[in-house]
Amino acid sequence: MAIIGLDIGGTKILGALFNKHGEIIDKEKNPSLGEEGFDIFLNQIHKTLDKLIKRCGKKIYGIGIGVPGIVNKKGKVLFTPNLPIKDFDMAKHLELKYDIPVKIGNDVNLGTFGEYSKLGSRYNNVIGLFPGTGLGGGIVINGKLYIGQGFAGELGHIVVQKDGLECGCGNRGCLESYASKKGIITYILNEVNKGRQCTLKEDALSGVLKSSKIKKACENKDEVVMEALEQFVEYLGMGVGIIMNIFNPDIILLGGGIIEAFGDRFLKDIKEHAKAYAMPGIYKNTKIIQSQLGDDAVIYGGYYIIKKEWFD
Amino acid sequence: MAIIGLDIGGTKILGALFNKHGEIIDKEKNPSLGEEGFDIFLNQIHKTLDKLIKRCGKKIYGIGIGVPGIVNKKGKVLFTPNLPIKDFDMAKHLELKYDIPVKIGNDVNLGTFGEYSKLGSRYNNVIGLFPGTGLGGGIVINGKLYIGQGFAGELGHIVVQKDGLECGCGNRGCLESYASKKGIITYILNEVNKGRQCTLKEDALSGVLKSSKIKKACENKDEVVMEALEQFVEYLGMGVGIIMNIFNPDIILLGGGIIEAFGDRFLKDIKEHAKAYAMPGIYKNTKIIQSQLGDDAVIYGGYYIIKKEWFD
């Protein structure tokens, strides 16, 4: 038997074939081509699945898919900010096409579930926070992915500064406005507008900032970038503290490009800030760890939601 | 068979005997006498239980207790701000004394669970927010009380205003600093210090503000009190919106003295503010309702945690 995990991202589609031991036995990666419209984008998904299914040769029990957007409980993709799909019943479409059960969820939810499941069953409650362009969250409660009525886990939209910075969601002062690449860009552009120099000015103006470039600018002692990162760390740490007060989970998982680029030292600073905002007893019993699966988190999540449905 | 629900409050201890249909068949109320020290306070608990047990005459399956403080999973009361108990293994003490199983939880958690259970099984996920002196929260996920590692649901300690008002927890800008009686008192005292008149000045100075008095001051058009309440409603509404984004629950339950005193009109204003802070799709599918059980919420919660343990 085999299970497919699929990570549909803004720039690439990553698929993987898992065997019954949960090992990846094949992978297939293709560009999303979202900018070329719905038909071509959908074709890229088909192409990725076609190749994996053809090369597999065995019965496939299910396809678990993560999408960077809002997905309802039935696997209908309601909205994605960076891909040409809206109100598309993707689960139904793919089930009809391949005659294989399909489950679809938000990518950060699935990534958190993948990380959680790989940690083993020692833990019950794990919250994931993944700062990237925005700030996504995932919630695992009693070993199950928690999505409420479908859309829970919008942890980037906890308001931490009433009447603060404008957020993409239309509100002000959301955690995401500070603890994300968007927050770093906003900080840099504000300082540049005041006349300060910054080596990442052009990147910030383009709206695309690579984690590796942020790291390099820090190593080169770019003051504006260092300040922007300090703000990022402070707010992310505050977010971690707030989430501890709400969930008192076993673990808070931090992932995404910036976290991976900066690693342990960063984690230490985030913990310091979290400690300042969490209730003391709660802080003590919650672990803060870095995600282990990197770019594979979502495909593992896809694998595990199918596996738990079929075999638990 | 019978079950006892017990609500240990800062000023009174309320006990109730429930029959197998979940109906209250007897009640017993005594002052807590916390100010007279641990022994006398503990004796008041014994007295309440003794009377209920004696008058019952039948086998009692369990005692479910809500305490206004921090309780661990084993029923040890770690800390209460307003009662003379600290690190007291109350569950064990009472089990030894009465030879009846005892479960103890935080009062707001139990109150939320009581309200949830009375709503029937149509709903899975319900979050309770109970503004009183402070702001307590309770979380029900998939029909079960969620307490994380024991202390989850500190929803009053979501930071909504970084570097904002000082909170009793030692932090700044917690939701509780605004959306609670403490928040109303702070607002009144600030304005009084600026030289403004307020009919509740003396109450605010004493630190004790009754909901009925707040309502009367509003009816008498006390401007400072009206502004303080406006701030309360705005922040509570924001808190409701944030909680929607995190949990996307079926229902958010609002309870406590102020909510009960002001009723429906208040709820309408809170909804307006919540709408401004929640993601649109999430706001639409979440109900905001007023608690139904009033002062009986915690005893019902005590009844249901025992009942579900024994009979589900």
Side-chain angles (χ1 to χ4, degrees), chain B residues 122-144:
Chain B
R122 279 171 302 157
Y123 304 106
N124 288 315
N125 308 311
V126 173
I127 313 294
L129 258 186
F130 291 77
T133 306
L135 175 63
I139 300 172
V140 175
I141 298 276
N142 288 326
K144 287 187 178 153

Side-chain angles (χ1 to χ4, degrees), chain B residues 146-221:
Chain B
Y146 173 78
I147 57 172
Q149 290 189 68
F151 315 127
E154 291 290 352
L155 305 179
H157 300 284
I158 297 174
V159 178
V160 293
Q161 186 90 65
K162 192 169 174 295
D163 308 318
L165 286 179
E166 230 172 276
C167 181
C169 75
N171 262 330
R172 286 186 167 275
C174 292
L175 190 56
E176 171 168 304
S177 324
Y178 303 90
S180 71
K181 284 187 182 174
K182 279 196 252 175
I184 293 172
I185 288 173
T186 306
Y187 189 93
I188 291 173
L189 293 180
N190 267 337
E191 296 305 306
V192 165
N193 281 341
K194 290 181 197 162
R196 293 179 70 188
Q197 300 292 318
C198 177
T199 57
L200 296 183
K201 179 182 164 181
E202 292 307 319
D203 303 76
L205 281 169
S206 79
V208 180
L209 206 54
K210 289 200 166 176
S211 304
S212 55
K213 279 199 167 180
I214 299 174
K215 194 178 182 192
K216 204 159 176 209
C218 275
E219 286 165 359
N220 292 333
K221 309 276 179 210

Side-chain angles (χ1 to χ4, degrees), chain A residues 134-196:
Chain A
L135 175 62
I139 301 170
V140 175
I141 298 275
N142 289 325
K144 287 187 180 154
L145 190 58
Y146 173 77
I147 56 171
Q149 290 189 70
F151 315 126
E154 291 289 351
L155 306 178
H157 300 284
I158 297 174
V159 178
V160 293
Q161 187 87 68
K162 192 169 175 294
D163 307 320
L165 286 179
E166 230 172 276
C167 181
C169 75
N171 263 330
R172 286 185 168 274
C174 292
L175 189 55
E176 170 167 303
S177 324
Y178 303 90
S180 70
K181 285 188 182 173
K182 280 196 251 174
I184 293 173
I185 288 173
T186 305
Y187 189 92
I188 292 173
L189 293 180
N190 267 337
E191 296 306 305
V192 165
N193 281 340
K194 289 181 197 161
R196 293 178 71 188

Side-chain angles (χ1 to χ4, degrees), chain A residues 207-219:
Chain A
V208 180
L209 207 53
K210 288 200 167 177
S211 304
S212 55
K213 279 200 168 180
I214 299 175
K215 197 181 179 191
K216 205 160 175 208
C218 275
E219 285 166 359

Side-chain angles (χ1 to χ4, degrees), chain A residues 6 8 42-47 49-50 53 63-65 67 75 77 88-104:
Chain A
L6 195 71
I8 299 178
L42 186 62
N43 196 48
Q44 293 298 93
I45 297 175
H46 292 163
K47 196 168 117 182
L49 290 173
D50 288 343
I53 292 168
I63 304 171
I65 305 177
V67 173
V77 181
F88 175 54
D89 201 340
M90 191 185 277
K92 196 171 163 195
H93 167 83
L94 294 175
E95 280 182 348
L96 282 174
K97 182 169 168 66
Y98 293 105
D99 197 20
I100 298 174
V102 172
K103 280 185 92 77
I104 305 185

